Amino acid sequence: MIPVNTPLLNGNELKYLTQCIETGWISSEGPFIKSFEEKMAAYVGRKHGIAVSNGSAALDVAIKALNLSKGDEVIMPTFTIISPAQSIVNVGAVPVLVDSDASTWNIDVTQIEAKITSKTKAILVVHIYGLPVDMQPVLELCKKYNLLLIEDAAEMHGQTYNEQQCGSFGDISIFSFYPNKHITTGEGGMIMCNNDDLAERCKKLRNLAFEPNGRRFIHYELGWNYRMTNMQAALGLAQLEKLDEHIVKKRKVGKMYYEGLKDLKGFTLQQFKTNYAENIYWVFGLVADTEELANETVKKLADVKIGTRPFFWCMHQQPVFRNMGLFKNEHYPIAEKLARNGFYVPSGLGLSEEEVELVIEELKK
Ligand SMILES: *Cc1c(COP(=O)(O)O)cnc(C)c1O
């Protein structure tokens, strides 16, 4: 069996985790948290990193910390994981959706401006599968209309846009450290920003909104317990030491797949390179020309024990949002095709080159 993801934990993970056990520092009070936050923030080039329990929690905190609330509109891609849309809806704000670009699979930046209204407060970009969003036009729109920028860089550790780190663009940016990301803490996430007040607010919201200076157990607003444990941070520190190696490996696997599959009839691949970035291949995805071809291919790969995952499902077609009366009669043809006909093949860091070659062979068959 070749699973879609196997993590790579071959550095100082065991050593640092053992230190947690031996010293008894296992909660969020332990010393690895601050160290992981500082090193990750330094890597991305940001002043503050605020570690939390997962990437979706990071989005909850980010949206609330920016004081987005009832009726505010946030422009975002329809083709993404549910996390950002969920965080927006949970504060009473409204996600306003945009279709994808057919070659990068990211939000089509040329369609954003038409969606801006007097209620628009922010643009939320999600870098999808390995290529960054074309940030320059987005930054210009944020400036022109005085909008906040939220950056979901959950899949982009170490990727750059015109040589600048992804995760360094947003007024607030987030990362995830789920086991299929470039570095993992099992479960985990981090919020990044440069603004001191915003960072303090995020720290407060992740910690039940305890008042930093007031009497403990008296609360003036609601937050969450989204704290990261010292054990997760121990993993994170060890993984961060390997991030550059992980990126080289991801790109190598991505390039092998790309070279092996770019002429495969009936399938489209994400762009290998744009004028602002080279794909980091968080996952290696294929989009079949038809839904039947996609289903049949996935089934045949399963028969030879090769794991696949379907692509994200569009936000405007989520039953949970449709039942709330959101996105009625909205259609986004490019994103819908990605969602219906797209799947990705094994692309984890634990994958061997022989396994990549085997997957290519089977796909060609
Ligand atoms: C993984 C991911 C998340 C969520 O992170 P979790 O840690 O799994 O909660 C959010 N956004 C994107 C784009 C992701 O890929």
Side-chain angles (χ1 to χ4, degrees):
M1 173 76 195
I2 308 180
V4 274
N5 180 57
T6 30
L8 198 57
L9 306 162
N10 62 355
N12 284 319
E13 287 83 359
L14 192 57
K15 183 177 158 199
Y16 297 160
L17 263 179
T18 305
Q19 285 176 32
C20 295
I21 309 290
E22 285 177 351
T23 60
W25 284 114
I26 53 174
S27 78
S28 63
E29 296 285 310
F32 287 142
I33 305 274
K34 195 150 185 275
S35 179
F36 182 41
E37 288 176 335
E38 285 173 2
K39 288 193 171 140
M40 186 71 199
Y43 188 98
V44 179
R46 305 231 68 169
K47 195 165 172 200
H48 301 286
I50 300 106
V52 290
S53 47
N54 58 69
S56 305
L59 281 160
D60 277 346
V61 171
I63 299 285
K64 187 153 181 185
L66 291 173
N67 293 322
L68 294 170
S69 62
K70 206 168 163 63
D72 291 343
E73 293 180 358
V74 181
I75 296 176
M76 62 170 286
T78 188
F79 182 70
T80 177
I81 193 167
I82 198 165
S83 309
Q86 165 176 291
S87 300
I88 292 167
V89 170
N90 277 339
V91 297
V94 183
V96 174
L97 304 177
V98 176
D99 204 354
S100 309
D101 177 284
S103 58
T104 68
W105 305 348
N106 278 306
I107 187 168
D108 181 347
V109 295
T110 66
Q111 295 190 41
I112 295 177
E113 191 164 19
K115 297 273 178 158
I116 296 175
T117 73
S118 59
K119 290 183 188 161
T120 309
K121 289 283 157 59
I123 299 175
L124 187 151
V125 294
V126 185
H127 306 296
I128 300 278
Y129 293 166
L131 268 181
V133 170
D134 188 3
M135 292 306 297
Q136 198 48 46
V138 179
L139 292 166
E140 280 162 19
L141 286 173
C142 286
K143 198 162 172 203
K144 182 170 169 194
Y145 293 95
N146 194 24
L147 304 175
L148 293 162
L149 178 62
I150 304 159
E151 185 186 11
D152 182 341
E155 305 170 359
M156 287 296 126
H157 322 63
Q159 174 61 299
T160 56
Y161 172 86
N162 281 337
E163 326 259 283
Q164 190 187 328
Q165 286 284 325
C166 290
S168 70
F169 290 93
D171 290 288
I172 204 158
S173 306
I174 71 99
F175 287 95
S176 162
F177 305 115
Y178 190 71
N180 62 0
K181 314 291 175 166
H182 298 129
I183 57 172
T184 183
T185 60
E187 298 283 350
M190 200 175 289
I191 306 151
M192 300 253 172
C193 64
N194 290 340
N195 181 293
D196 298 343
D197 295 334
L198 194 55
E200 280 312 306
R201 203 164 147 61
C202 291
K203 284 183 192 166
K204 181 178 163 181
L205 289 170
R206 82 170 159 186
N207 189 26
L208 294 172
F210 276 116
E211 292 295 323
N213 303 311
R215 185 196 178 282
R216 203 161 168 84
F217 301 114
I218 299 181
H219 301 265
Y220 294 87
E221 73 175 318
L222 301 178
W224 300 270
N225 176 356
Y226 279 166
R227 301 182 301 254
M228 176 181 271
T229 69
N230 203 49
M231 297 181 286
Q232 290 167 291
L235 279 183
L237 275 173
Q239 288 270 297
L240 186 53
E241 293 167 0
K242 295 276 188 168
L243 177 52
D244 291 338
E245 275 177 46
H246 287 189
I247 292 166
V248 170
K249 170 106 206 249
K250 279 280 188 189
R251 286 215 160 104
K252 192 168 178 192
V253 167
K255 192 165 187 193
M256 282 178 75
Y257 273 132
Y258 185 80
E259 293 300 330
L261 300 172
K262 65 182 197 301
D263 299 322
L264 196 63
K265 273 209 178 63
F267 296 89
T268 317
L269 308 176
Q270 192 177 30
Q271 234 172 306
F272 182 77
K273 208 176 165 175
T274 65
N275 57 6
Y276 49 78
E278 187 189 314
N279 206 318
I280 202 171
Y281 290 109
W282 173 57
V283 293
F284 196 91
L286 297 100
V287 180
D289 288 349
T290 66
E291 211 174 339
E292 297 72 52
L293 179 60
N295 293 340
E296 200 180 324
T297 309
V298 162
K299 197 173 157 290
K300 289 209 163 141
L301 288 175
D303 288 344
V304 290
K305 303 214 175 330
I306 294 172
T308 57
R309 279 276 185 292
F311 274 13
F312 295 134
W313 195 247
C314 296
M315 292 307 109
H316 67 284
Q317 297 190 320
Q318 294 290 348
V320 62
F321 292 140
R322 296 299 275 257
N323 291 340
M324 290 173 175
L326 286 164
F327 317 132
K328 276 216 182 83
N329 302 319
E330 291 186 26
H331 279 289
Y332 302 99
I334 306 226
E336 284 167 25
K337 183 174 174 198
L338 291 173
R340 283 180 196 285
N341 301 7
F343 62 92
Y344 63 86
V345 290
S347 17
L349 285 155
L351 203 64
S352 70
E353 287 183 21
E354 294 72 42
E355 288 173 319
V356 177
E357 275 158 11
L358 190 84
V359 176
I360 294 171
E361 282 316 301
E362 291 298 336
L363 271 164
K364 282 183 172 165
K365 276 195 221 164

